[in-house]
Amino acid sequence: MSIQHTPHQNHLLDALPAAEFARLQSHLELVKMPLGLALYESGGQLHHVYFPTTAIVSLLYVMADGASAEIAVVGNEGILGIALFMGGETTPSRAVVQSEGYGYRLKARLLKDEFNRAGPVMRLLLRYTQALITQMAQTAVCNRHHSVEKQLCRWLLLSLDRLPGNELSMTQELIANMLGVRREGVTEAAGKLQRDGLIEYSRGHIMVLDRPGLEMRVCECYQVVKTEFDRLLPSLHNSVID
Amino acid sequence: MSIQHTPHQNHLLDALPAAEFARLQSHLELVKMPLGLALYESGGQLHHVYFPTTAIVSLLYVMADGASAEIAVVGNEGILGIALFMGGETTPSRAVVQSEGYGYRLKARLLKDEFNRAGPVMRLLLRYTQALITQMAQTAVCNRHHSVEKQLCRWLLLSLDRLPGNELSMTQELIANMLGVRREGVTEAAGKLQRDGLIEYSRGHIMVLDRPGLEMRVCECYQVVKTEFDRLLPSLHNSVID
DNA sequence: ACTGATATGTTCGATACCGAACATAAGCAT
DNA sequence: ATGCTTATGTTCGGTATCGAACATATCAGT
């Protein structure tokens, strides 16, 4: 059985008005996003923007000593490469595929031109950017105040929201990298969640058995971000802006 | 002696092309910003945008249990109320005056109209927003990996960059609130800096004696943010965008 | 000078996380 | 089956920060 791929799997593309979508459609290029692929390096040029459909991509800051932390997650609800239309051309963050899958890409020039029409595409992208800002801000607060276990719950739920099933492929080592904590810390937190029957994992495969249970344990950060995404980007296209 | 106030003290306003500045100038209203004033509450309506000149404003996230953390600082280099033009109308953050002073405000409607012209003002605001995003992201990473002392250095330098002299009015209690740590933690870190002759403080007044010394101790986060601001917002107006 | 309020200093034990080392176990290639 | 690699589990001592309680010091008002 082969999987159907369509740009409409990405919520931003799906939310475009017909005219705008028509302009871009033929330029959208399906790309495979294997685990670990870096779509952008810190400070590098952005030649394309990416609209994930089944993949999940993490925005990571890597520090001089190698320590890292995830500042946001982008999946089928979003776009990678906002610095392009924000005017900076580049950012100090890396974008790394965290969960393999597919997405569509578009040449930088085309997206910029579309953005510069200052129409619905621009407004949609700016709203998405604001939602992303909320996610970053909440991550900062969460890093400050919440335990590894709560952050793991948040991370699992954010990932789950961007995937079709209830399973994700991810080693504890990689999760630790995302959260910016030690692998052992993740092992301990995940072990606790497993003992309590919320998840089940083995060698890089995590199955969520009790999603409501996770939602009970997660810190408020998850819900704040989710609510803000829903508020700013109701899944149906809504052209009543301004 | 009376202090001169002019919108040009704010770098964004100062960077506007003459035509745009002329349109807005008569609508700019000088406002006093006393310590602790909340320009915006979480989720509240934004009736004005603010351009600080001598004041510094913190963007804070306050959590359900009262714990808080600063996610960004805005002074004479920036603007408060970006959610207005990003399309969200509101944000989950609070904006609180951290260092008293003055600024100019502009009615929300006027800024939106100006933004919607999709000209240089829009491009400038978007670039500023990207710089702000960098600051938030770096704050998230810093919260994760760096000691209170390093973060205090970062905070002092960020504040200093937005003030005329080498002195700031700020109790350790308030700094602790910003950094999202205990007051005692700030006392200890500040005590160390004082013993080493980098700063001198008493009851809410901090004088920086050795700025290079602070720059030696601060984590890389400070420089990353500063470099990105300089890159995105060179102080002279540069209309060569796109 | 007195008083109260506020800012800062100091201590204590508790806890979460770190850093390192090592043990087990599951998958993979041959 | 054998061995190699990778993922996960466990332990240990060290450190930073926390939470709370209390001590001191400076300022403002009377």
Side-chain angles (χ1 to χ4, degrees):
Chain A
M1 64 171 213
S2 79
I3 305 165
Q4 301 278 8
H5 290 290
T6 154
H8 292 286
Q9 291 173 289
N10 179 277
H11 299 172
L12 285 184
L13 291 175
D14 190 49
L16 294 180
E20 277 69 21
F21 184 74
R23 269 201 300 274
L24 296 178
Q25 185 167 24
S26 66
H27 301 102
L28 290 171
E29 182 187 351
L30 181 67
V31 287
K32 190 169 164 56
M33 298 184 177
L35 180 65
L37 176 69
L39 299 183
Y40 306 130
E41 288 296 342
S42 169
Q45 280 295 307
L46 279 57
H47 300 110
H48 297 85
V49 291
Y50 294 84
F51 299 91
T53 53
T54 57
I56 302 181
V57 181
S58 284
L59 298 184
L60 286 177
Y61 264 46
V62 183
M63 317 219 314
D65 66 356
S68 69
E70 181 184 82
I71 55 168
V73 184
V74 180
N76 62 2
E77 89 294 347
I79 181 177
L80 286 135
I82 61 168
L84 207 76
F85 55 81
M86 293 301 284
E89 301 292 326
T90 176
T91 58
S93 66
R94 291 186 79 206
V96 179
V97 175
Q98 172 210 109
S99 178
E100 65 170 16
Y102 288 83
Y104 288 84
R105 74 178 188 185
L106 189 63
K107 281 206 163 46
R109 184 77 254 158
L110 291 168
L111 185 90
K112 259 203 248 185
D113 290 346
E114 188 61 41
F115 185 88
N116 288 337
R117 287 174 176 250
V121 173
M122 180 188 89
R123 287 194 292 272
L124 187 64
L125 290 175
L126 291 183
R127 285 192 155 237
Y128 171 73
T129 301
Q130 198 193 327
L132 199 64
I133 288 174
T134 298
Q135 203 191 338
M136 290 180 183
Q138 201 70 42
T139 301
V141 177
C142 200
N143 279 352
R144 165 62 67 210
H145 291 291
H146 296 143
S147 67
V148 171
E149 183 187 320
K150 282 189 189 305
Q151 292 187 49
L152 175 60
C153 292
R154 174 174 63 86
W155 193 91
L156 289 172
L157 288 169
L158 281 176
S159 297
L160 222 52
D161 287 344
R162 288 159 177 78
L163 287 170
N166 64 333
E167 199 173 338
L168 42 136
S169 290
M170 197 71 194
T171 67
Q172 299 181 352
E173 176 90 40
L174 288 182
I175 295 176
N177 267 281
M178 303 292 172
L179 297 183
V181 298
R182 287 177 322 143
R183 195 266 311 159
E184 292 90 329
V186 174
T187 298
E188 192 187 331
K192 207 186 290 181
L193 295 181
Q194 172 151 262
R195 269 193 299 284
D196 295 352
L198 301 174
I199 64 174
E200 188 178 286
Y201 61 85
S202 72
R203 293 184 74 73
H205 280 263
I206 304 180
M207 192 178 318
V208 175
L209 303 174
D210 180 4
R211 194 191 153 114
L214 280 183
E215 288 175 353
M216 293 292 295
R217 295 220 192 182
V218 76
C219 46
E220 63 194 280
C221 303
Y222 168 67
Q223 194 56 52
V224 169
V225 171
K226 191 169 166 56
T227 300
E228 189 69 356
F229 266 81
D230 291 346
R231 181 179 80 84
L232 292 168
L233 305 161
S235 50
L236 298 179
H237 171 62
N238 181 356
S239 60
V240 192
I241 299 177
D242 230 18
Chain B
M1 64 169 211
S2 79
I3 305 164
Q4 301 276 8
H5 290 290
T6 154
H8 292 288
Q9 289 174 289
N10 179 276
H11 299 172
L12 286 185
L13 291 175
D14 191 49
L16 294 181
E20 277 69 22
F21 183 75
R23 268 202 300 275
L24 296 179
Q25 185 168 23
S26 66
H27 301 103
L28 290 170
E29 182 187 353
L30 180 68
V31 287
K32 191 168 163 55
M33 297 183 176
L35 179 66
L37 177 69
L39 300 183
Y40 306 131
E41 288 296 340
S42 168
Q45 281 295 308
L46 279 57
H47 300 110
H48 297 84
V49 291
Y50 295 83
F51 299 90
T53 54
T54 57
I56 302 181
V57 181
S58 284
L59 297 185
L60 286 177
Y61 265 46
V62 182
M63 317 218 315
D65 66 356
S68 70
E70 180 184 84
I71 55 168
V73 184
V74 180
N76 61 3
E77 88 295 348
I79 180 177
L80 287 135
I82 61 169
L84 207 77
F85 54 80
M86 293 301 284
E89 302 291 325
T90 176
T91 57
S93 66
R94 291 186 78 206
V96 179
V97 176
Q98 173 211 109
S99 178
E100 65 171 14
Y102 288 82
Y104 288 85
R105 73 179 190 185
L106 188 63
K107 280 204 164 43
R109 184 75 253 160
L110 290 167
L111 184 91
K112 259 203 250 186
D113 290 345
E114 188 60 41
F115 185 88
N116 288 337
R117 287 174 177 249
V121 173
M122 180 186 89
R123 286 194 291 272
L124 186 64
L125 291 175
L126 291 183
R127 284 191 156 237
Y128 172 73
T129 301
Q130 198 194 328
L132 198 65
I133 287 173
T134 298
Q135 202 190 338
M136 290 181 183
Q138 201 70 42
T139 300
V141 177
C142 200
N143 279 351
R144 163 63 66 213
H145 290 292
H146 297 143
S147 66
V148 171
E149 183 187 319
K150 282 187 189 305
Q151 293 187 48
L152 176 59
C153 291
R154 173 174 63 85
W155 193 90
L156 288 172
L157 288 169
L158 281 177
S159 298
L160 223 53
D161 287 345
R162 289 161 176 77
L163 287 170
N166 65 332
E167 200 173 337
L168 42 136
S169 290
M170 197 70 195
T171 67
Q172 298 181 353
E173 176 89 41
L174 287 182
I175 296 177
N177 267 279
M178 302 292 172
L179 297 182
V181 299
R182 288 175 323 141
R183 196 264 313 160
E184 293 90 329
V186 174
T187 297
E188 192 187 329
K192 208 185 289 182
L193 295 181
Q194 172 151 262
R195 270 193 298 284
D196 295 352
L198 300 174
I199 64 174
E200 187 179 286
Y201 61 86
S202 71
R203 293 184 72 73
H205 280 263
I206 305 181
M207 191 177 318
V208 175
L209 303 175
D210 181 3
R211 195 191 154 115
L214 281 183
E215 288 175 354
M216 293 293 294
R217 296 220 191 181
V218 76
C219 46
E220 64 194 279
C221 302
Y222 168 68
Q223 194 57 52
V224 169
V225 171
K226 190 168 165 57
T227 301
E228 189 70 355
F229 266 81
D230 290 346
R231 181 179 79 83
L232 292 168
L233 303 162
S235 50
L236 298 179
H237 171 63
N238 181 356
S239 60
V240 192
I241 300 175
D242 229 16

